Amino acid sequence: GIVSAREAFAPFASPTIFLFIGSFMIGRAVTDHGLDRRLAFSLLSLKMVQGSLPRIAITVAGLTMVLSAWMSNTATAAMMLPVAVGILTATGTARLPKGKAASTTFLLSLAYSAAMGGVMTPVGTPPNLITLGLLDQVLGIRINFFTWMLMAAPISLTFAAVLFVITGRRLARIGGRNDEAVSFLKDQQPVGPWTAGQRNCAIAFGLAVTFWVLPGVVGLVGSTDSEFTRFLSGRLHESVVAVGAAALLFILPINWSQRRFTLEWSSAARIDWGTILLFGGGLSLGEMMFDSGLASHVGSRLVAISGAESLWTVTAMAIVVGVVLTEITSNTASTNMLVPVMISICQVQGLNPIPPALGACLAASLAFMLPISTPPNAIIYGSGLVPIMAMVKFGVIMDVIAMVIVFVGLRILCPLLGFV
């Protein structure tokens, strides 16, 4: 009796749901036609990358981070794991002194890069869109694609810089046959020109990214209140762009005589519908937490226990609780539970809800200690090459570093972007 069936199911048709559907279909087409693999091995085959194992590892992690900003971080980690294992095998790293520790560092840097890459864009990981959806539906606060990137990308890149320094120093302590790594990468390099499917995927993806960021760029260069900026924002909503770019893939042919197109429905139907339904349920649950008063009750208890009352102490609490909660449950579930609570705390205390909500959201991608914390962690652990205690020890260090970077980043960037 908290809400009607119509109200409960309405979030499943939220524009943010269609942003997910469109971006997932684009990602499916990119994977089906091997565009992601072609780009990955093209970069890794460059001579400037092949100077040493640390350089190769940092390049793999950096590429994973970039790809996971636009694709599912789970799919990205699954795609890049065989690449990393192949490099480790080709160089004989595991057989060298301290080789097991080096292999662990290499693979963990890949998993952590996939997780942090996901925070760079709204479509990188479900917690981002859950938070944006709740801020829009509950408070009427809309953060566009480009503004999110202005906030999240510096935080993610700062964390990446620290991670890459640690990875490079750890891997520099061992040897390794770089010529074997070069040979492996050359063998894996796709041969031949780009296929029609790869070109079409690049066109659709390029158009999507362009129109996602265009309203924000125009608003930054000109004025956010100008008639032209409002016109673009109204017409180029992120969800409309995503669905439009995905629809283009059903039209662009790869063989017109056979009536074959870039994306067939049989492939599009295999996107991650579970995550989409989970996301819709999370939005519905979030609204009901407000309607029932549960968010306010839990929020008041957290404030009483922690003593957090100012905007930035509440933000710090959101980050810490988010990291701890995400270590033992999925990042989507922890975001569904924690973001409504943070918004409610701010409403009760008269605080700006954006920094605490963003802190809770970003914290949901900072779980580095356990295999169950995030899908990339589980994938890397499933390789059998990463001992659980090594993941815990390295993960604790990276958890603390990430919490500090997120808090300092929000403290600096939120006022600059007009969030406070």
Side-chain angles (χ1 to χ4, degrees):
I2 296 173
V3 294
S4 67
R6 180 182 296 274
E7 293 169 323
F9 290 119
F12 285 88
S14 164
T16 312
I17 291 287
F18 290 93
L19 173 55
F20 248 137
I21 292 174
S23 61
F24 279 6
M25 287 185 176
I26 296 170
R28 167 61 68 175
V30 167
T31 301
D32 286 349
H33 291 281
L35 178 60
D36 50 359
R37 189 173 180 83
R38 173 179 281 275
L39 295 176
F41 279 104
S42 296
L43 178 61
L44 290 170
S45 64
L46 296 176
K47 289 184 178 180
M48 58 180 288
V49 172
Q50 299 167 357
S52 63
L53 183 61
R55 192 176 300 174
I56 293 174
I58 290 172
T59 304
V60 170
L63 181 60
T64 301
M65 189 173 188
V66 173
L67 290 175
S68 65
W70 305 99
M71 298 170 53
S72 160
N73 53 20
T74 305
T76 303
M79 181 191 77
M80 295 303 294
L81 176 60
V83 178
V85 172
I87 293 171
L88 292 171
T89 302
T91 56
T93 299
R95 297 191 298 273
L96 296 170
K98 300 182 179 178
K100 184 174 291 187
S103 298
T104 298
T105 300
F106 193 152
L107 295 176
L108 287 178
S109 69
L110 190 157
Y112 299 163
S113 296
M116 282 305 294
V119 311
M120 292 179 67
T121 68
V123 298
T125 187
N128 301 352
L129 289 178
I130 290 171
T131 302
L132 291 175
L134 287 172
L135 287 173
D136 188 13
Q137 290 184 214
V138 176
L139 301 175
I141 298 173
R142 183 168 180 263
I143 300 175
N144 65 36
F145 201 101
F146 185 68
T147 303
W148 176 276
M149 291 187 67
L150 288 178
M151 178 276 300
I155 293 173
S156 186
L157 293 173
T158 302
F159 175 84
V162 174
L163 176 63
F164 295 167
V165 169
I166 294 174
T167 298
R169 287 185 175 180
R170 288 191 173 192
L171 293 179
R173 299 171 187 170
I174 69 166
R177 297 193 301 277
N178 186 57
D179 55 336
E180 297 293 339
V182 173
S183 177
F184 168 80
L185 292 171
K186 285 183 177 179
D187 291 341
Q188 298 295 318
Q189 172 71 19
V191 179
W194 281 40
T195 65
Q198 291 171 348
R199 290 194 299 271
N200 292 344
C201 288
I203 291 171
F205 176 73
L207 288 173
V209 173
T210 299
F211 289 127
W212 275 334
V213 303
L214 182 60
V217 173
V218 171
L220 184 67
V221 174
S223 170
T224 56
D225 296 327
S226 70
E227 184 176 346
F228 183 57
T229 302
R230 291 197 301 269
F231 174 84
L232 287 179
S233 299
R235 271 51 171 198
L236 297 179
H237 191 281
E238 290 90 346
S239 58
V240 175
V241 171
V243 172
L248 189 62
L249 294 171
F250 290 96
I251 300 172
L252 293 174
I254 57 176
N255 190 321
W256 178 253
S257 63
Q258 299 178 10
R259 299 297 188 269
R260 292 177 57 212
F261 299 91
T262 308
L263 184 62
E264 303 289 342
W265 180 250
S266 58
S267 179
R270 296 200 303 271
I271 64 174
D272 190 358
W273 293 104
T275 296
I276 293 169
L277 292 174
L278 181 63
F279 174 71
L283 288 179
S284 182
L285 176 65
E287 289 192 17
M288 283 187 272
M289 288 180 70
F290 285 101
D291 293 340
S292 66
L294 175 62
S296 177
H297 176 72
V298 174
S300 63
R301 299 304 301 164
L302 276 176
V303 170
I305 294 171
S306 65
E309 295 182 352
S310 69
L311 174 61
W312 295 108
T313 55
V314 171
T315 302
M317 177 184 68
I319 294 170
V320 173
V321 174
V323 169
V324 174
L325 189 60
T326 306
E327 292 290 1
I328 58 175
T329 187
S330 77
N331 55 4
T332 305
S334 62
T335 305
N336 285 334
M337 290 185 283
L338 192 56
V339 171
V341 172
M342 291 301 116
I343 293 175
S344 181
I345 289 174
C346 294
Q347 287 178 321
V348 171
Q349 299 190 188
L351 304 174
N352 188 314
I354 298 180
L358 294 178
C361 170
L362 297 178
S365 296
L366 305 183
F368 303 131
M369 284 177 53
L370 299 172
I372 62 171
S373 302
T374 63
N377 285 13
I379 289 171
I380 297 304
Y381 181 72
S383 69
L385 298 175
V386 178
I388 183 66
M389 286 310 300
M391 178 178 281
V392 171
K393 291 177 182 178
F394 196 12
V396 169
I397 295 172
M398 299 315 298
D399 273 356
V400 174
I401 291 173
M403 284 190 285
V404 173
I405 290 174
V406 169
F407 179 79
V408 174
L410 291 176
R411 187 68 179 85
I412 295 172
L413 294 171
C414 283
L416 292 177
L417 296 172
F419 291 164
V420 295

